[in-house]
Amino acid sequence: MGTLNDLKQKFGDRLKEHEPLARYTTFKIGGPADYFFETKTTDELVAAITLAREHSIPMFILGGGSNILIGDHGIRGFVIKNSTGSIRMKGMKGTVTGGVAKKGLVFVEADSGVIFNSLVRFTIEEGLAGLEMHLGLPGSVGGAIFMNSKWTHPPGFVGDAVYQAEILTPENKRITVPNAYFHFGYDTSSIQKTKDILLKIVFALRSDTRERLWQIANESIAYRRDSQPQGVCTAGCAFKNISKAPTSAGFLIDHTGLKGEHVGDAYISDVHANFIINRGKARAADVVQLIEKVRAKVKEKFDVILEEEIIRVGEF
Ligand SMILES: Cc1cc2nc3c(=O)[nH]c(=O)nc-3n(C[C@H](O)[C@H](O)[C@H](O)COP(=O)(O)OP(=O)(O)OC[C@H]3O[C@@H](n4cnc5c(N)ncnc54)[C@H](O)[C@@H]3O)c2cc1C
């Protein structure tokens, strides 16, 4: 009770109790959070995390909710929705002639809660290359770095463009770390283990023409439109691709004859076999059952064990 009062005292009416979480996810699935607070600034984000940790309240940072499956019984403890939203030009390294950067790097800093697509559009409009191929990636900047989100046409990882970041350590210290700290890999970054929270990220980008950057970005969008289901409730690829397999996870699922398979309202997409879709009233339990069905059938047919890309959070 003391804890609840502390939270209420700190955050007032903006602290919500028993907040349904489905609306904050692209799957539109998930039960309530015990406590929920939406942070608008980095200082608020730090204050909320610090308070939760000081009171030993379990805490979950929610970005755009586009890579998670929240359990039907919701999340115990404190869910902090990160809606910090500033983007700033930081400066440049290299030669400048007549106000135009000829060579070298231009630095852009974004809050971790910035909508990733807003950052991509901003950098393209500023004539800065490095993120343009990711146009269409849902979610926040923080989520994209936590996952080291990627694109294949043309290939690139979000981590490739990271120069440094300000993080909040598990000891609640604000420190700045370089790219190497993250040990970026396929769907991985070190903060998945360290429990650091991303606050602000500096990207190192290169000058290019807006026309060229929009062309690459628009080609990415067109590829998404052709290869992925549109206007549906999903969390993107359900499974990671595996280097051992002859091809993609989607190919294996497709060739196991699972397109259109469903449990309740959770369906394997007809367009892309690695996408699970909520066609209306799917529960998290339905999605989990479908995931296990796919995993078992792909194992049986190809002797490959698929690993989930979607992160399960909370109580199922
Ligand atoms: C239609 C669709 C298409 C997609 N296409 C792609 C694609 O092309 N490539 C790809 O890689 N993924 C893709 N995804 C998956 C997803 O969009 C990405 O992984 C995205 O970057 C996740 O960001 P988010 O903010 O939504 O993260 P969330 O789902 O909110 O969170 C994911 C994890 O990140 C953690 N996290 C979030 N913010 C922070 C922070 N500030 N500090 C520390 N941890 C944090 C969360 O706690 C959680 O554990 C797609 C999803 C959809 C729905």
Side-chain angles (χ1 to χ4, degrees), residues 60-61 63-67 138-140 143-144 146 149-151 198 224 234 236:
F60 178 72
I61 304 292
S66 65
N67 205 61
S140 66
F146 182 93
S149 298
K150 70 274 165 200
W151 186 239
L198 287 152
R224 275 184 198 276
T234 178

Side-chain angles (χ1 to χ4, degrees), residues 42-57:
T42 301
D43 285 346
E44 275 184 359
L45 179 62
V46 169
I49 297 165
T50 306
L51 194 72
R53 283 175 171 163
E54 282 171 359
H55 288 80
S56 304
I57 309 170

Side-chain angles (χ1 to χ4, degrees), residues 24 26 45 60-68 82 112-113 116 134 136-151 158 187 191 196-199 201 224 228-229 232 234-237 275 309 311 313:
Y24 300 101
T26 54
L45 179 62
F60 178 72
I61 304 292
L62 178 62
S66 65
N67 205 61
I68 52 173
N82 181 9
S112 56
F116 198 81
H134 298 294
L137 177 74
S140 66
V141 169
I145 289 165
F146 182 93
M147 295 302 299
N148 193 21
S149 298
K150 70 274 165 200
W151 186 239
V158 171
D187 272 344
I191 59 168
D196 298 312
I197 306 297
L198 287 152
L199 303 177
I201 299 89
R224 275 184 198 276
Q228 298 179 356
V232 294
T234 178
C237 286
F275 276 55
E309 181 166 327
I311 302 169
V313 192

